[in-house]
Amino acid sequence: MAPTVERKQIDITPLKKANVPIIFIVGGPGSGKGTQCERIVKKYGLSHLSSGDLLRDEVKSGSARGGQLTKIMEAGELVPLEVVLDLVKEAMLKEVAKGSKGFLIDGYPREVKQGDQFEAEIMPARLALYFEVAEETLVKRCLKRAETSGRVDDNAETIKKRLKTFMQSTTPVVDHYAKKGKLVKINAEGGVDEIFGVVQQHLDKIFK
Ligand SMILES: Nc1ncnc2c1ncn2[C@H]1C[C@H](O)[C@@H](COP(=O)(O)OP(=O)(O)O)O1
Ligand SMILES: [Mg+2]
């Protein structure tokens, strides 16, 4: 059986004090989340945190927690929601210490429960930006990215699995934020500039 991962006591007072806007970035694999976040960071100077990157970095760091995570992933089990949340909190605290103006939380939440837990333990998100793209386009973009990314999960077989997981778990997430009136759904089939144009219309209202 995979080991459990200990949770840390994390004091998030500085994060609450900073009280900067938090934006969840939601969309299927290959929907262009990373690409748009890069553009947003350039224009608005927000802090971009990708939960996938934080997990990969923790594993690479060689910490005890990273070792426990490796074992869980090797056992094919899901990393506990709380551990991802701890990594996100720690990364947010570091950014706040540097004077962050706001956060893009990329690829998160993956499940309704994860988003609720984030909002309960940290603070409510201002918006959830959802990049909506047809399944066919997602596959095409992931396969194209596979040519250069070196990511082990960018291959036809894994992409199909990730898409299925996305459809099952993220569709309820999208509905959840729509009900709360926080969802901004963006048609992300077009070109990068065109999509960023729409993104700016929404972010300009929050970040002058
Ligand atoms: N609007 C767009 N049109 C065409 N290709 C795009 C695109 N936005 C991103 N891409 C490309 C860049 C990558 O090779 C691939 C996946 O983009 P990404 O930003 O890494 O997606 P994500 O982070 O949502 O998985 O698609
Ligand atoms: Mg990405």
Side-chain angles (χ1 to χ4, degrees):
M1 221 186 77
T4 50
V5 185
E6 270 170 54
R7 286 201 77 181
K8 294 188 181 170
Q9 270 307 323
I10 304 168
D11 176 16
I12 60 155
T13 310
L15 197 47
K16 286 190 187 283
K17 273 201 186 133
N19 195 29
V20 294
I22 295 172
I23 298 169
F24 289 146
I25 307 289
V26 182
S31 59
K33 299 183 296 296
T35 304
Q36 292 298 322
C37 282
E38 207 179 303
R39 299 290 293 268
I40 297 171
V41 168
K42 243 184 225 157
K43 171 157 183 191
Y44 301 93
L46 306 185
S47 309
H48 174 209
L49 301 179
S50 147
S51 53
D53 286 348
L54 292 175
L55 278 168
R56 285 185 283 268
D57 288 349
E58 183 68 15
V59 166
K60 266 193 264 162
S61 78
S63 70
R65 184 171 56 183
Q68 291 157 350
L69 289 174
T70 308
K71 287 199 187 114
I72 289 174
M73 294 191 265
E74 279 172 0
E77 289 173 28
L78 282 175
V79 173
L81 302 184
E82 301 78 25
V83 179
V84 183
L85 187 56
D86 284 350
L87 292 174
V88 171
K89 275 184 196 167
E90 287 167 12
M92 288 178 89
L93 282 166
K94 274 188 205 156
E95 289 298 311
V96 154
K98 288 189 273 181
S100 178
K101 287 189 244 166
F103 289 96
L104 302 172
I105 312 289
D106 175 356
Y108 189 102
R110 292 283 160 109
E111 297 170 37
V112 170
K113 207 172 115 193
Q114 196 170 43
D116 285 346
Q117 198 174 26
F118 178 106
E119 295 195 307
E121 290 192 26
I122 301 178
M123 67 175 105
R126 178 74 75 90
L127 282 187
L129 274 191
Y130 170 44
F131 294 109
E132 191 177 44
V133 180
E135 203 170 323
E136 198 187 283
T137 312
L138 294 179
V139 175
K140 237 186 263 167
R141 287 187 192 165
C142 283
L143 287 175
K144 187 154 167 275
R145 181 173 66 186
E147 293 167 11
T148 53
S149 74
R151 273 175 58 154
V152 290
D153 54 355
D154 275 343
N155 62 72
E157 197 52 38
T158 314
I159 288 165
K160 261 190 235 152
K161 274 191 206 143
R162 280 160 64 206
L163 274 178
K164 198 163 163 241
T165 308
F166 170 74
M167 296 300 174
Q168 284 170 352
S169 61
T170 311
T171 309
V173 169
V174 168
D175 295 343
H176 186 62
Y177 292 105
K179 274 196 209 114
K180 288 176 180 252
K182 287 185 183 176
L183 189 77
V184 171
K185 190 167 23 176
I186 293 177
N187 175 342
E189 289 284 342
V192 174
D193 290 339
E194 190 188 330
I195 299 164
F196 187 58
V198 181
V199 168
Q200 288 173 84
Q201 288 170 17
H202 293 281
L203 295 191
D204 281 350
K205 291 185 221 157
I206 300 178
F207 308 98
K208 195 212 58 78

